[in-house]
Amino acid sequence: SQTIHQWPATLVQPVGSPLSLECTVEGTSNPNLYWYRQAAGRGLQLLFYSVGIGQISSEVPQNLSASRPQDRQFILSSKKLLLSDSGFYLCAWSVPPGWQPQHFGDGTRLSIL
Amino acid sequence: AQKVTQAQTEISVVEKEDVTLDCVYETRDTTYYLFWYKQPPSGELVFLIRRNSFDEQNEISGRYSWNFQKSTSSFNFTITASQVVDSAVYFCALRTSGNTPLVFGKGTRLSVIA
């Protein structure tokens, strides 16, 4: 069966520090991968998605970046965090066809001080 | 462009009441897929149901039921005899092809009071 791992579960970082969140999927090949952010009490904002190694689509221009160094690994990064980067970050995967749902990791709660 | 509207931001009901969460979608594609997710206080998103555009059959699963109406572009979710454990944020979502992300509504926060 397929599983998705996302870590860390919680993270407290100072403003201006770098960030690296990692997500890995097991049990499937060539998944589509997604990063979402959810501000407190708000909806889901799609940040990046990838349909293959090295292929990244950015939905929101900001100080975050994403990379997909391996088929089932998706990394969210920042060189310098802002206060506005606080939130709940969710990784997800899916495979075609379109009726297949997206499956989400447990999320990372990021607090910027 | 695709869009999902969940007009109800927050709903509060007393336990055992029935509650319907509304979802209205917009798309020009004739083939599309609709989804509902539940986000409990712990934060993870749990997939509940999907529906294809060519299948308007409604579905019932225990206390949950879904009403898909293409004529009104709606995919509403009803919880019968609500329970405290149903308290969560519920998201409706839309996709039109296999390699595109889901388009989510803003979610409806349901609070069930004992």
Side-chain angles (χ1 to χ4, degrees), chain A residues 4 62 66:
Chain A
I4 179 169
Q62 52 195 351

Side-chain angles (χ1 to χ4, degrees), chain A residues 32 34 36 38 41-44 46 49 51 88 90 94-106 109, chain B residues 33 35 37 39 41-45 47 50 52 89 91 95 97-107 109:
Chain A
N32 297 332
Y34 313 88
Y36 289 85
Q38 185 178 31
R42 306 292 294 276
L44 298 165
L46 178 65
Y49 72 97
V51 299
F88 188 51
L90 287 156
S94 69
V95 292
W99 53 263
Q100 291 277 20
Q102 282 179 198
H103 302 279
F104 287 80
D106 290 338
R109 296 195 184 278
Chain B
Y33 312 92
F35 304 81
Y37 284 81
Q39 186 180 36
S42 51
E44 76 278 13
L45 264 82
F47 164 65
R50 64 165 173 255
N52 305 331
V89 180
F91 290 96
R95 179 195 276 140
S97 73
N99 279 332
T100 56
L102 292 178
V103 174
F104 283 89
K106 294 185 183 299
R109 181 178 298 277

